Amino acid sequence: MISDGVPLERGFRLEADPLGEVRIPTDAYYGAQTARAMENFRVTGRTIACLPELLAMLAAVKKSAALANVETGELEPALGRAIAAACDEVMAGGLTDQFAIDPLQGGAGTSTNMNMNEVLAARAAEILSAAGEGSASVHPNDHVNRSQSTNDAYASAARLAVDCLLAGLDRSLDGLAARLDELAGRFAQVHKLGRTQLQDAVPMTVGAEFGAFANTLRDSRREIAQLRPLLREVNLGGTAIGTGVGATDAYRAAVLRHLAQVTGIAVAAAPDPVAATSDTGVFVACGGLAKRVAIRLGKLANDLRLLSSGPRGGLGELELPARQPGSSIMPGKVNPVIPELVNQVCYRVFGCELTVSLAADAAQLQLNAMLPVIYLSLSDAIGELRAACTAIDERCLADLAVNEARCRATLDASTALAVTLLPRLGYARAAGLAKAALAESMPFVEYLRAHHPETVALVATGAAGIKNKETMR
């Protein structure tokens, strides 16, 4: 499969890099620098193959560079076509077993970049041979990495990969918001007790409660839409520190045009490539966005747990689907496991956001060497938020029920309906009635029927005017 290495013991070959020789499995597409990274970085137990968006976008960058280099005469056409074909395989999800280094790594992503360069070079050599082009050597640096540096190739791929991740999160939020809207419409006429500071407050509808959840998620979707164009400003063509050393003017003019065609993304050149090479502010903004989404999902999960608490000894207004037994000792107990899962995802996202902020703060001079942990943290956070949206949508809200009798009884028993008397009776008189009902330990409406029947109609009229979000527009 690979013909450049020196034969060694059975099943292995020797390859050399600037530091010396390295033993590599004979059938591996990767080379010496990847093998060194596999030895040096053993932390997460994962490999960069678990980051498909990053691999696909890095392959797209390599294909765009090859096409631009052919266009400007920097690469032979046959060589460029072979590299582009190898890139297509990676973009389609192929060769994943060859990307075996840990995503957490030193070197600002150099190991990931070289892993891609080595795999593409070996595969391109095979493609050339199969096409009858002979056994021409394809060099990872001189050919695949031509006119590039890790600092513009990997960084540009990371930006576009996060853009793709946010597109997926946006779709998940849209689906979850639609589910909440459906619940808002279904329960628009179910009155209940609203609460502030965990105390009885004023009447509202179950529909208004779910509609509010939906609208907070739409706020997140608007924030995603504002952020994604910033991710599409890339420093590709800036090479090592943004000055473009090692790349021609013609290449810099062509590579972004090819990248837009290859990815279908409206990429743009960063206004200041030197600044873009060291500044990771857009990733900090993405981390903040992920944290805000997590806070909104966490609020939804917290409220579902509270409103379904009991079911006899708590609020008991919502009935969540029973997904599994809740105890190894208490018969019949069922826990709100899906909201609990979502809460735990949110806590992990908070940690990822902090990691991104600290890593961004570690930038020094013309580069931020911590981009691998920044990307890994954002990939984990956004991916887990997507999974949380799916879980709470399909495994919780889809089969959720409302205990309308409980909602009505709790509302009638509270003094919350006293607020409906304010326009006619004033604050002092309404407060006096509420206090009297509490003193006699009577539900408010029952107390009014017994002692002030003339006010019952006022309460009914006021309660009927409680607005759902749709009627307030």
Side-chain angles (χ1 to χ4, degrees), residues 48 51-65 87-93 99 112-113 116 120 148 152-167 228 231-232 234 236 255 258-267 375:
I48 57 173
L51 305 175
E53 293 84 5
L54 180 62
L55 290 185
M57 286 303 164
L58 187 53
V61 166
K62 298 297 177 181
K63 179 177 180 178
S64 303
C87 291
D88 286 338
E89 292 183 17
V90 175
M91 292 168 64
F99 298 100
T112 295
N113 186 43
M116 181 66 72
L120 293 176
Q148 306 152 63
D152 68 336
Y154 179 85
S156 295
R159 284 173 174 257
L160 297 182
V162 173
D163 180 54
C164 291
L165 290 168
L166 286 183
R228 289 184 64 193
L231 288 163
R232 297 171 182 178
V234 298
L236 190 60
V255 68
H258 283 290
L259 184 59
Q261 293 170 349
V262 169
T263 62
I265 298 172
V267 296
Y375 181 80

Side-chain angles (χ1 to χ4, degrees), residues 23 26 68 94 134 144-145 157 176 204 227 235 266 273 285 289 319 334 346 377 440 464:
R23 191 178 75 158
T26 304
V144 182
N145 199 64
L176 181 54
M204 67 180 302
L227 192 53
N235 66 333
L289 168 68
E319 298 172 358
V334 177
C346 294
S377 298
E440 296 194 21

Side-chain angles (χ1 to χ4, degrees), residues 283-436:
F283 295 124
V284 175
C286 290
L289 168 68
K291 183 177 181 179
R292 292 187 69 178
V293 173
I295 289 172
R296 287 161 176 156
L297 286 179
K299 169 66 163 59
L300 171 59
N302 287 336
D303 285 3
L304 290 175
R305 291 168 62 199
L306 278 172
L307 293 170
S308 65
S309 61
R312 305 292 171 79
L315 298 183
E317 294 180 359
L318 299 183
E319 298 172 358
L320 306 186
R323 293 305 179 197
Q324 61 188 61
S327 173
S328 63
I329 191 174
M330 293 172 279
K333 189 173 188 291
V334 177
N335 296 326
V337 293
I338 302 302
E340 289 171 352
L341 169 69
V342 171
N343 282 131
Q344 292 173 77
V345 167
C346 294
Y347 307 150
R348 282 179 51 81
V349 172
F350 299 157
C352 289
E353 186 273 337
L354 177 59
T355 298
V356 171
S357 296
L358 294 174
D361 186 53
Q364 296 169 325
L365 305 178
Q366 278 68 59
L367 184 65
N368 188 316
M370 307 304 168
L371 191 52
V373 76
I374 289 175
Y375 181 80
L376 179 62
S377 298
L378 288 176
S379 177
D380 285 350
I382 297 170
E384 290 181 20
L385 285 172
R386 287 196 67 184
C389 288
T390 299
I392 205 163
D393 180 1
E394 298 179 358
R395 304 296 296 169
C396 185
L397 298 178
D399 299 312
L400 176 143
V402 173
N403 187 332
E404 297 187 24
R406 177 77 169 179
C407 290
R408 184 77 250 179
T410 303
L411 179 59
D412 288 347
S414 77
T415 59
L417 288 169
V419 72
T420 62
L421 300 175
L422 292 181
R424 291 292 188 90
L425 303 184
Y427 181 88
R429 178 79 191 284
L433 293 175
K435 184 177 180 180

Side-chain angles (χ1 to χ4, degrees), residues 33-57:
Q33 293 202 41
T34 299
R36 291 191 190 278
M38 291 168 66
E39 289 295 321
N40 289 331
F41 311 125
R42 297 180 178 183
V43 178
T44 67
R46 301 157 67 183
T47 71
I48 57 173
C50 75
L51 305 175
E53 293 84 5
L54 180 62
L55 290 185
M57 286 303 164

